[in-house]
Amino acid sequence: LADAEQEMREGLEALAAFERSDLPVLHTQHRVIGSDACHYMAPASVIAEVDAGGKVFVTSAKIIFASGSVVSWPWHLITRIRREERDLVIDLKGRPAVRLRVNTYGDALLIEALFVRLTSNRP
């Protein structure tokens, strides 16, 4: 339990720093980003019938999961992102929700906060 508490504390500190800062922009040459600005990337898994490990990218236009294949969810299709421990439940318009598992509470907290920041001005 102490390790989980420390991890959560570190995640909350990273979230507080994020809230005080400008939107981060990562410089990556990863092909899945295309012309989007990349704001965050982390190791992740899609939790489904078979867990698939890979990376999640949070861009100016969408969330991308890259593994053996690439799947993306544009911001306009995402109605909500809920954090459950290290999982992110991505609710989609007219589609079943997607569950991503990241490695740390900090990753989950920051991706959830990025969703709010990137979509706060949309209609």
Side-chain angles (χ1 to χ4, degrees), residues 3 14 26 68 86 98:
D3 289 341
L26 304 177
R86 291 181 188 101
V98 174

Side-chain angles (χ1 to χ4, degrees), residues 32-77:
V32 301
I33 302 302
S35 61
D36 295 352
C38 183
H39 300 295
Y40 200 76
M41 69 179 163
S45 299
V46 170
I47 307 303
E49 298 82 36
V50 177
D51 293 352
K55 277 193 178 176
V56 63
F57 298 88
V58 179
T59 77
S60 53
K62 58 190 159 284
I63 291 180
I64 303 165
F65 178 75
S67 182
S69 60
V70 177
V71 133
S72 66
W73 305 277
W75 292 125
H76 71 273
L77 289 182

Side-chain angles (χ1 to χ4, degrees), residues 39 73 77 91 110-111 116:
H39 300 295
W73 305 277
L77 289 182
D91 292 327
L110 290 172
I111 292 170
V116 171

Side-chain angles (χ1 to χ4, degrees), residues 11 14-16 18-19 40 58 105-115:
L15 179 61
F18 169 78
E19 294 295 342
Y40 200 76
V58 179
Y105 290 114
D107 288 337
L109 289 163
L110 290 172
I111 292 170
E112 184 181 38
L114 276 163
F115 168 73

